[in-house]
Amino acid sequence: MSDRQGVTVFGEVAGDSLAPITLELLGVGRTLANQLGQELAVLFVGNNITTAAQEAFVYGADKVYATDAPMYANYMTDSYVGAVENFDKEHLPEVLLFGHTAVGRDLAPRLAFRLGTGLTIDCVGLSIDSATGLLNKVKPVYGGNAIASYVCEAARPQMAAVRPKTMTAAVRDESRRGEVTIFDPGLDESVIRGKFIRKDVEEAEGIKLEDADVVVCGGRGLGGPEPFRQLEELAGILGGAVGASRPPCDTKWCASSCQIGLTGKLVSPSLYIGIALSGSSQHQAGMSGSKTIVAINKDEEANIFGIAHYGVVGEYQKVLPAFIEKCKEMASQ
Ligand SMILES: Cc1cc2nc3c(=O)[nH]c(=O)nc-3n(C[C@H](O)[C@H](O)[C@H](O)COP(=O)(O)OP(=O)(O)OC[C@H]3O[C@@H](n4cnc5c(N)ncnc54)[C@H](O)[C@@H]3O)c2cc1C
């Protein structure tokens, strides 16, 4: 029998609070731990994070660990991988969960390699198989056209990175309290091979793209920066945010922070409207989890129609103004 026990979540902090992905991981982690009849733990790595880490108890954690020191103030791959690796060796979790976030996408694969185990990224469903007791990991494949299930039979820990906004967040329970345990991984700064230069904090105007419930996304077919004003207008009416495929970001028609896809942001809004973009697999990697997908494209063969729930074949110059007018009319009713 394995010496490993319990579910551990890698926690992320946003400012002085727990990041939304951490609440989701605590939600699904609690369910998995209950199914296994084992404990749910969280590990935070950072600087001055112990107060925020304390909050994890209120959201269902049985144990909370913090690696809290100045050398962890900024995310650096070497120090964070080393810290979680040493935590794993000491605490031996059976299941180790990450967010499929900027940090998780960098950290989890390297860690899996170091630990000699498997990792399933971009998971949209996790459960314990009642027959085998193994973690069943579900994720979209082929650009969201199929769903695949994975289990890790031999290696441990069983690792998964969870796509944001796909799990039910843990609910606050003020009656839960506990003491954060400081975990010292025994590393010094010499492990860090990179150099931290600066952190650029994105100006947050309006709703953040990753958090938006409606995303209005433009592609190369818009032909320039001006049409993005129309997209902003539509997003404003629908209470959403503007996104883009890669070409408009590369050509500076819009901010690079708008990019959705493999090398951009991951969004899972209730409504995604893709305008004059083809729906490449790299773009779909960032938006295929959207609940309802609407596409406007002049080419009826465009890939995006393969995953769209609703589509309009036509020049956006004709379709979009009418679409905006209709949305305005409906919003005013
Ligand atoms: C390693 C790697 C990573 C990548 N990462 C990303 C990523 O994160 N995100 C991303 O988006 N891409 C990414 N790409 C690029 C990707 O491969 C595609 O090139 C890109 O998504 C295409 O963008 P697009 O759909 O806007 O442009 P196109 O593929 O050129 O499509 C433009 C579409 O607009 C339509 N159109 C043109 N005029 C009109 C009109 N007047 N009215 C209506 N429709 C019109 C056309 O029919 C066409 O379908 C990556 C590529 C690589 C190699």
Side-chain angles (χ1 to χ4, degrees):
M1 205 180 122
S2 165
D3 292 338
R4 290 182 172 268
Q5 279 279 319
V7 176
T8 295
V9 161
F10 176 80
E12 293 187 41
V13 168
D16 295 333
S17 320
L18 301 187
I21 184 64
T22 304
L23 302 186
E24 289 187 52
L25 292 174
L26 284 166
V28 67
R30 181 75 266 162
T31 306
L32 299 174
N34 290 351
Q35 285 172 340
L36 288 167
Q38 297 174 5
E39 286 191 328
L40 172 64
V42 194
L43 169 66
F44 291 92
V45 181
N47 188 35
N48 291 328
I49 44 150
T50 306
T51 310
Q54 187 82 35
E55 279 282 283
F57 285 111
V58 186
Y59 287 99
D62 298 311
K63 285 193 181 134
V64 179
Y65 298 92
T67 292
D68 197 343
M71 73 173 268
Y72 301 103
N74 295 299
Y75 175 76
M76 295 297 287
T77 308
D78 294 318
S79 53
Y80 274 58
V81 170
V84 188
E85 180 187 13
N86 289 355
F87 178 88
D88 177 80
K89 286 182 179 152
E90 194 167 318
H91 292 276
L92 299 173
E94 173 66 29
V95 171
L96 195 45
L97 302 180
F98 295 81
H100 191 62
T101 57
V103 168
R105 285 152 85 168
D106 186 68
L107 173 59
R110 287 165 194 262
L111 181 69
F113 177 77
R114 289 240 193 130
L115 299 177
T117 188
L119 164 72
T120 308
I121 60 166
D122 199 19
C123 293
V124 297
L126 296 175
S127 60
I128 299 295
D129 185 309
S130 56
T132 61
L134 292 174
L135 178 66
N136 190 32
K137 304 174 272 190
V138 175
K139 61 166 289 183
V141 290
Y142 302 116
N145 290 315
I147 294 284
S149 278
Y150 297 84
V151 288
C152 189
E153 287 180 335
R156 291 292 180 275
Q158 301 177 75
M159 283 178 63
V162 170
R163 180 187 289 198
K165 295 178 81 181
T166 57
M167 306 284 159
T168 307
V171 178
R172 264 187 98 82
D173 177 354
E174 299 294 346
S175 68
R176 295 182 65 101
R177 287 278 175 264
E179 276 298 308
V180 176
T181 306
I182 297 298
F183 172 71
D184 178 1
L187 303 175
D188 62 41
E189 295 198 15
S190 65
V191 298
I192 305 175
R193 290 166 295 178
K195 188 173 170 207
F196 177 79
I197 295 172
R198 65 169 195 278
K199 185 186 268 183
D200 289 332
V201 180
E202 191 186 312
E203 293 283 327
E205 243 183 63
I207 302 164
K208 266 178 84 182
L209 181 56
E210 306 89 303
D211 299 337
D213 205 37
V214 177
V215 170
V216 180
C217 187
R220 188 186 344 237
L222 290 178
E226 265 316 303
F228 273 90
R229 304 295 83 80
Q230 286 174 279
L231 268 59
E232 281 162 13
E233 185 186 0
L234 181 58
I237 298 165
L238 299 173
V242 171
S245 61
R246 186 157 130 176
C249 301
D250 286 350
T251 47
K252 309 275 183 251
W253 297 348
C254 62
S256 57
S257 56
C258 291
Q259 187 179 324
I260 293 171
L262 190 65
T263 44
K265 289 182 176 163
L266 263 180
V267 297
S268 321
S270 299
L271 175 62
Y272 165 98
I273 305 171
I275 303 163
L277 53 82
S278 58
S280 65
S281 58
Q282 291 90 354
H283 186 69
Q284 289 190 25
M287 50 63 68
S288 62
S290 307
K291 316 281 175 303
T292 301
I293 298 171
V294 176
I296 301 171
N297 196 303
K298 68 177 184 183
D299 175 10
E300 64 180 37
E301 301 285 328
N303 275 346
I304 192 72
F305 288 126
I307 58 163
H309 302 92
Y310 302 95
V312 183
V313 178
E315 300 271 351
Y316 83 86
Q317 293 91 332
K318 285 190 190 147
V319 179
L320 193 54
F323 197 80
I324 292 175
E325 278 315 307
K326 190 71 192 168
C327 289
K328 267 190 199 161
E329 193 187 309
M330 290 171 79
S332 67
Q333 280 167 8

